[in-house]
Every structure is written in C-alpha cells, then in structure tokens.
C-alpha cells in the first residue's frame, strides 16, 4: 500500500471515532447501537488501513 495515505487514514479514523463519541453523548438515553457499531467498524477499518500502510514487510532484506 502507498505510505503517503497514512496521515489521511489516521485523520479519517480519528474523525469517525470522534463522531461515535459525539453521537453516543448526544443521544445518551436512547442509543442507536447499529449506527454506533457501523461507525466503529468504519473507524477501525481506517485504523487498520493506516497500520497496513505504516507496516513494512522485511522480505526484501532476505532476498
């Protein structure tokens, strides 16, 4: 994956996580668990993409 998108993925994931926190605070008595779960999945997927762009495989050194 292209490492130049690392910052973009981190910003998107942090904004999505902030949206989850904001939605859970503003709609506290009656939480919409499906919307919160969907936003958490989106946030974690962006964090996973950021991890995959940062993580380098060391296979080139072995060859």
């Amino acid at each position: 994956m292209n490492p130049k998108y690392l910052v973009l993925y981190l910003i998107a994931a942090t904004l999505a996580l902030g949206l989850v926190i904001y939605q859970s605070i503003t709609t506290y008595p009656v939480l919409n668990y499906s919307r919160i779960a969907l936003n958490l999945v989106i946030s974690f997927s962006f964090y996973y993409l950021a991890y995959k762009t940062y993580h380098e495989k060391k296979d080139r050194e072995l060859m």
Side-chain angles (χ1 to χ4, degrees), residues 4 7 11 16 18 21 23 26 32 37-40 42 45 47 49 55:
K4 68 180 180 180
V7 176
I11 290 172
I21 293 170
Q23 284 179 349
T26 57
N32 189 355
L38 179 67
N39 285 336
L40 278 175
I42 291 171
S45 65
Y47 278 126
L49 285 174
H55 184 68

Side-chain angles (χ1 to χ4, degrees):
M1 300 195 97
N2 200 349
K4 68 180 180 180
Y5 294 120
L6 173 69
V7 176
L8 180 68
Y9 290 146
L10 285 176
I11 290 172
T14 305
L15 285 177
L17 191 61
L19 182 65
V20 168
I21 293 170
Y22 175 75
Q23 284 179 349
S24 12
I25 288 174
T26 57
T27 62
Y28 172 65
V30 181
L31 295 177
N32 189 355
Y33 292 111
S34 61
R35 179 175 289 179
I36 290 173
L38 179 67
N39 285 336
L40 278 175
V41 166
I42 291 171
S43 176
F44 290 149
S45 65
F46 276 122
Y47 278 126
Y48 177 73
L49 285 174
Y51 168 74
K52 290 301 277 185
T53 57
Y54 178 72
H55 184 68
E56 290 184 13
K57 291 190 175 188
K58 303 296 183 188
D59 292 340
R60 294 183 187 159
E61 293 178 0
L62 296 175
M63 293 185 173

